[in-house]
Amino acid sequence: MLSIDLRGKRALVAGIADDGGYGFAIAKALTEAGATVCTGTWPPALNIFQNLLERGKMDESRKLADGSLLQFERIYPLDAAYDSLQDAPAEIRTNKRYKDVGDFSVDGLRQRLVADFGDQSLDIVIHSLANGPEVKNPLLATSRAGYLAAVSVSAYSLVSLVSRLGPLMRPHGAVLSLSYLAGERVVPGYGGGMSAAKAALESDTRTLAYEAGRKYGLRVNTISAGPLASRAASAIGQIQKMVEYYTANAPLPEELTAMEVGTVGAFLCSPLARGISGATIYVDKGYHSMGVEISAGNLL
Ligand SMILES: NC(=O)c1ccc[n+]([C@@H]2O[C@H](COP(=O)([O-])OP(=O)(O)OC[C@H]3O[C@@H](n4cnc5c(N)ncnc54)[C@H](O)[C@@H]3O)[C@@H](O)[C@H]2O)c1
C-alpha cells in the first residue's frame, strides 16, 4: 500500500504558537507520518504557547490517531524578522518577552539545531508565519515601513531560513511555505503589503527551488491555502466572512479544514512528492479556479 512514510525524519516548523493554525496542522500530519517536529515560535507568543501545552489546554487537538499526544522535540524561540541577533534593535533585545530566551534570530535557530542535533540533522523545514503590521490598510494607505515589514517577515524570512538551514538538511530534504491567492489576484482587505509579500513568496519559491535544488538537493514548494480562522487571520478581520464566501463560491461547497492543508503538507515533504519542486499547490476546495461568483447569480 502506498503511504506517506516520514519515519526517521526531523522537521522544523516555524510559526506555531497555538493549535489553531496551519503550522500546527502540518506538524500533526508530519508526526502522524512518523517524523519528529521542532517548532520555531515567536518570542511574544512563546510563554503563552508553553503554558497552553503544560496545562493540557491543547490536549484534544494534540491527539493523534493512535491516542498519543503530538509532542514537540524542541520549542525554539524565533523572530524571523532578524537574521542574526545583532540585527535586532536594542528595544527588542531588552524587551521582557525577548531578553531571557537567548538568540531568537534565524542564525540563532541554526546554531541551536547544530548544538542539539549536529550539522546534518534536518529533513523538512516548514515556513508557516506571516505578519503585516498594516494589513488592515489598503495598499494606497500603506506606509513604506509597513510594506517593507510585511515583506521582510512574511517573505524574506523564507529566503533567510533556506540559506541558513539549507546546509543542515540531509539529502532529499523539503521546504514548504504557506501562501494565499491574494499574491496573484486582488483580495480587498488583504492589505499592508501582504499581497506583495505573498507574490514575493511564490516567486522566491521558484528561484529557491532552483538554487537550493542545485546546491543542496532540496525541494521547495508553497501551498496556496484557502481561508482559515486562525489567530493570524483573525487579525485581518472579516475572516469568517471569507470562509463563508469560499464555501458559497468554491467548486467544493464545504469549509476547508486545517488538517486538509496539513496532509498535503506531509505529502509534499515526503518521498512520494520527490518529483515536485518550485510549485504553488492550491489547497482551497478549488476556489482559485473560479472566474465568477456563484452566489451573485443563478449560474447553477
Ligand atoms: N489563515 C488563513 O486564512 C491563511 C490562508 C492562506 C495562507 N495562510 C498563511 O498560513 C501561514 C500560517 O498562518 P495561520 O493563518 O495558520 O496563522 P497562525 O497564527 O497559526 O500562524 C502565524 C504564526 O506566525 C508567527 N509570527 C508572526 N510574526 C513572526 C515573526 N516575526 N517571527 C516568527 N514568527 C512570527 C505567529 O506567532 C504565528 O504563530 C501564514 O503564512 C499565513 O499567511 C493563512
Side-chain angles (χ1 to χ4, degrees), residues 81 130-134 143-155 192 194 197:
N131 199 1
E134 298 181 18
S143 72
R144 185 183 296 263
Y147 183 100
L148 293 177
V151 174
S152 166
V153 169
S154 313
M194 279 305 299

Side-chain angles (χ1 to χ4, degrees), residues 15-18 20-23 42 45 78-81 128-131 153 178-180 190 198 225-228 230-233 239:
I16 302 183
D18 58 41
Y22 285 133
W42 196 35
L78 171 68
D79 193 322
S128 182
L129 60 93
N131 199 1
V153 169
L178 274 303
S179 190
Y180 180 51
Y190 199 79
K198 292 306 189 192
L228 172 79
S230 63
R231 180 182 285 247
I239 183 67

Side-chain angles (χ1 to χ4, degrees), residues 20-33:
Y22 285 133
F24 183 89
I26 292 172
K28 200 169 165 184
L30 293 172
T31 306
E32 291 281 16

Side-chain angles (χ1 to χ4, degrees), residues 80-233:
Y82 308 112
D83 300 322
S84 70
L85 196 55
Q86 298 90 284
D87 294 339
E91 73 258 29
I92 291 288
R93 274 183 278 144
T94 54
N95 177 289
K96 68 172 177 118
R97 304 244 182 245
Y98 284 80
K99 64 179 169 47
D100 298 323
V101 302
D103 188 339
F104 47 79
S105 69
V106 178
D107 197 60
L109 175 66
R110 180 190 66 77
Q111 289 173 36
R112 285 178 203 239
L113 282 164
V114 170
D116 289 348
F117 303 113
D119 53 14
Q120 279 282 290
S121 52
L122 208 52
D123 302 282
I124 295 167
V125 170
I126 309 291
H127 175 286
S128 182
L129 60 93
N131 199 1
E134 298 181 18
V135 66
K136 287 185 178 161
N137 291 3
L139 192 54
L140 277 174
T142 297
S143 72
R144 185 183 296 263
Y147 183 100
L148 293 177
V151 174
S152 166
V153 169
S154 313
Y156 183 78
S157 53
L158 176 70
V159 178
S160 181
L161 277 173
V162 176
S163 67
R164 284 167 181 78
L165 302 188
L168 310 189
M169 292 179 73
R170 293 186 275 235
H172 304 299
V175 177
L176 179 69
S177 67
L178 274 303
S179 190
Y180 180 51
L181 190 63
E184 50 176 315
R185 299 272 189 275
V186 180
V187 178
Y190 199 79
M194 279 305 299
S195 55
K198 292 306 189 192
L201 189 77
E202 292 182 16
S203 176
D204 293 342
T205 294
R206 293 184 283 273
T207 308
L208 290 170
Y210 168 66
E211 293 184 6
R214 293 298 174 111
K215 196 164 184 179
Y216 306 118
L218 303 179
R219 296 183 297 106
V220 184
N221 293 294
T222 189
I223 290 178
S224 182
L228 172 79
S230 63
R231 180 182 285 247

